[in-house]
């Protein structure tokens, strides 16, 4: 299979999603993609062990995409070789009553990774400039000062949110959180096929909701909101990657490869050295343990 050029998925200039590819199998067979992912995720798992021992960085992985884009299966397959204590997945749903008593970033802030661990946001803080922008009436439930009607939610309101999100990410990045943001770029036709599959396969029925069809009718509006959010918030410390998502196997390999390549650049992340005194007495400790079996 071809060598993965991860930079071609990185948002480095203003992006137009309609012109971005939705399919990429990397010129590989399904078997080759499976083997490549197996190799990369093993290395990622080993890196997480070192990250934990080092204890100075956390890694935040943000996944966004339309319904059926493959977020859940990507999490399952990419992080399969991680120590289960080393990765925590957060799937953000409609805010609870407690969460509504705080600002919109609060629930995301408390879900950030501990040093030495990965956190995966399956849907993220970007829902606050995506679904709420498509459905601005949801903002009224936040009980914000000065926001009484949908008409109060103007362009300046959204510009402030982009700024707040950028500042939030800059703050956590400066304090040791490595941030990855992936938009799974799915075609409308592929979404139709996957929704049909949820209906046709009995074991997939539980995933289907009539609400999926209602949101699908707003496809163009969502694409517009995603495009604006990506362009407003792709920064050096928290860049966006647009991942072709029509091939789930291809998308998983691309995401895993991007993470591994970027994380390997952190040369300071290494297992700590033993204290000199402990190191000098390792043979003594070994002999003491061996005596117990005699």
């Amino acid at each position: 299979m071809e060598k993965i050029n991860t930079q071609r998925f990185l948002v480095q200039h203003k992006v137009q999603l309609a012109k971005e590819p939705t399919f990429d199998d990397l010129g590989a067979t399904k078997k080759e993609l499976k083997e490549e992912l197996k190799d990369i995720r093993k290395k990622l798992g080993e890196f997480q062990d070192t990250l934990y021992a080092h204890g100075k960085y956390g890694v935040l992985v943000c996944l966004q995409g339309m319904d059926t884009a493959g977020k859940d299966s990507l999490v399952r397959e990419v992080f399969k070789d991680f120590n289960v204590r080393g990765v925590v997945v957060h799937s953000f749903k409609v805010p609870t009553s407690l969460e509504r008593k705080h600002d919109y970033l609060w629930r995301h802030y408390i879900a950030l990774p501990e040093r030495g661990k990965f956190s995966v946001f399956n849907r993220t803080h970007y829902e606050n400039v995506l679904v709420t922008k498509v459905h601005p009436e949801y903002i009224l439930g936040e009980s914000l000062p000065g926001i009484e009607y949908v008409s109060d939610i103007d362009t300046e309101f959204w510009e402030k949110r982009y700024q707040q999100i950028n500042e939030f990410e800059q703050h956590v990045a400066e304090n040791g959180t490595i941030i990855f943001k992936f938009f799974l770029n799915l075609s409308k036709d592929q979404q139709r096929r996957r929704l049909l599959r949820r209906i046709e396969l009995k074991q997939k029925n539980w995933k289907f909701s009539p609400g999926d069809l209602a949101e699908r009718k707003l496809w163009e509006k969502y694409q517009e909101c995603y495009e604006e959010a990506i362009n407003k918030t792709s920064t050096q410390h928290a860049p966006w990657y647009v991942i072709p998502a029509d091939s789930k196997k291809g998308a998983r390999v691309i995401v895993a490869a991007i993470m591994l390549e970027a994380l390997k650049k952190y040369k300071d992340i290494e297992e700590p050295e033993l204290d000199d005194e402990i190191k000098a007495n390792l043979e003594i400790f070994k002999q003491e343990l061996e005596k117990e079996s005699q």
Side-chain angles (χ1 to χ4, degrees):
M1 70 180 271
E2 66 186 60
K3 187 179 185 303
I4 303 172
N5 177 13
T6 61
Q7 291 301 296
R8 66 189 173 98
F9 305 104
L10 174 65
V11 175
Q12 303 182 71
H13 49 76
K14 193 169 184 179
V15 70
Q16 292 181 275
L17 291 180
K19 295 182 178 180
E20 293 295 318
T22 60
F23 180 87
D24 194 336
D25 62 3
L26 303 171
T29 65
K30 290 182 178 180
K31 183 178 180 180
E32 288 172 333
L33 289 171
K34 183 178 180 180
E35 289 302 312
E36 182 70 9
L37 178 59
K38 185 177 179 180
D39 179 60
I40 297 174
R41 73 185 180 207
K42 182 176 183 294
K43 293 174 181 176
L44 282 172
E46 292 169 350
F47 177 88
Q48 193 279 313
D49 286 338
T50 304
L51 182 83
Y52 183 82
H54 183 249
K56 292 187 179 180
Y57 292 93
V59 180
L60 174 62
V61 181
C62 299
L63 300 177
Q64 285 287 166
M66 296 293 286
D67 289 333
T68 77
K71 297 181 292 296
D72 291 337
S73 61
L74 186 148
V75 173
R76 182 188 69 234
E77 295 300 324
V78 171
F79 297 93
K80 187 175 287 187
D81 288 343
F82 276 53
N83 184 314
V84 293
R85 294 179 297 176
V87 57
V88 181
V89 180
H90 303 272
S91 296
F92 293 102
K93 306 296 185 182
V94 176
T96 65
S97 57
L98 172 62
E99 290 167 345
R100 287 187 184 279
K101 292 181 183 295
H102 297 270
D103 71 273
Y104 71 95
L105 285 172
W106 177 77
R107 65 175 181 160
H108 305 287
Y109 196 97
I110 62 174
L112 288 171
E114 300 173 25
R115 300 189 193 282
K117 294 188 178 183
F118 280 63
S119 280
V120 180
F121 285 4
N122 183 349
R123 295 191 185 275
T124 73
H125 43 294
Y126 282 94
E127 292 294 292
N128 298 285
V129 289
L130 293 168
V131 67
T132 54
K133 199 168 184 183
V134 175
H135 300 282
E137 64 275 14
Y138 293 172
I139 294 291
L140 302 181
E142 295 183 24
S143 301
L144 295 173
I147 304 294
E148 301 294 333
Y149 307 100
V150 169
S151 58
D152 296 325
I153 307 169
D154 55 13
T155 301
E156 184 181 359
F157 175 88
W158 297 114
E159 290 297 324
K160 283 183 178 179
R161 286 226 157 167
Y162 295 132
Q163 180 183 348
Q164 290 160 358
I165 288 172
N166 282 331
E167 290 172 349
F168 163 69
E169 292 175 349
Q170 182 175 355
H171 170 69
V172 300
E174 290 174 351
N175 283 275
T177 300
I178 302 168
I179 304 172
F180 293 98
K181 298 186 301 194
F182 299 108
F183 171 63
L184 303 184
N185 192 26
L186 183 73
S187 68
K188 191 174 183 180
D189 187 55
Q190 183 63 24
Q191 188 196 55
R192 180 184 65 84
R193 294 174 189 167
R194 291 181 184 177
L195 287 172
L196 280 171
R197 189 165 180 264
R198 288 182 178 182
I199 295 172
E200 293 167 350
L201 296 181
K202 187 175 181 180
Q203 65 269 34
K204 299 285 184 181
N205 285 172
W206 66 274
K207 287 187 173 185
F208 180 77
S209 167
D212 296 338
L213 299 184
E215 292 299 281
R216 178 174 166 79
K217 292 177 182 177
L218 300 169
W219 180 276
E220 285 71 24
K221 180 62 176 176
Y222 270 107
Q223 294 297 299
E224 177 186 318
C225 291
Y226 268 114
E227 186 173 294
E228 182 170 13
I230 290 169
N231 286 324
K232 296 277 188 181
T233 62
S234 191
T235 60
Q236 186 173 359
H237 55 269
W240 275 102
Y241 293 87
V242 176
I243 310 298
D246 283 5
S247 166
K248 286 187 177 183
K249 292 184 183 296
R252 294 164 191 164
V253 171
I254 293 167
V255 167
I258 288 170
M259 288 195 293
L260 182 61
E261 181 179 290
L263 291 171
K264 285 168 67 176
K265 294 178 181 178
Y266 287 81
K267 301 301 183 183
D268 58 324
I269 299 179
E270 54 186 13
E271 293 181 1
E273 289 285 334
L274 277 175
D275 178 271
D276 287 343
E277 184 177 349
I278 295 176
K279 190 186 295 185
N281 289 287
L282 283 178
E283 189 61 33
I284 295 174
F285 300 141
K286 178 183 176 182
Q287 291 173 7
E288 182 178 334
L289 288 167
E290 288 176 339
K291 285 180 181 177
E292 291 182 11
S293 64
Q294 295 176 359

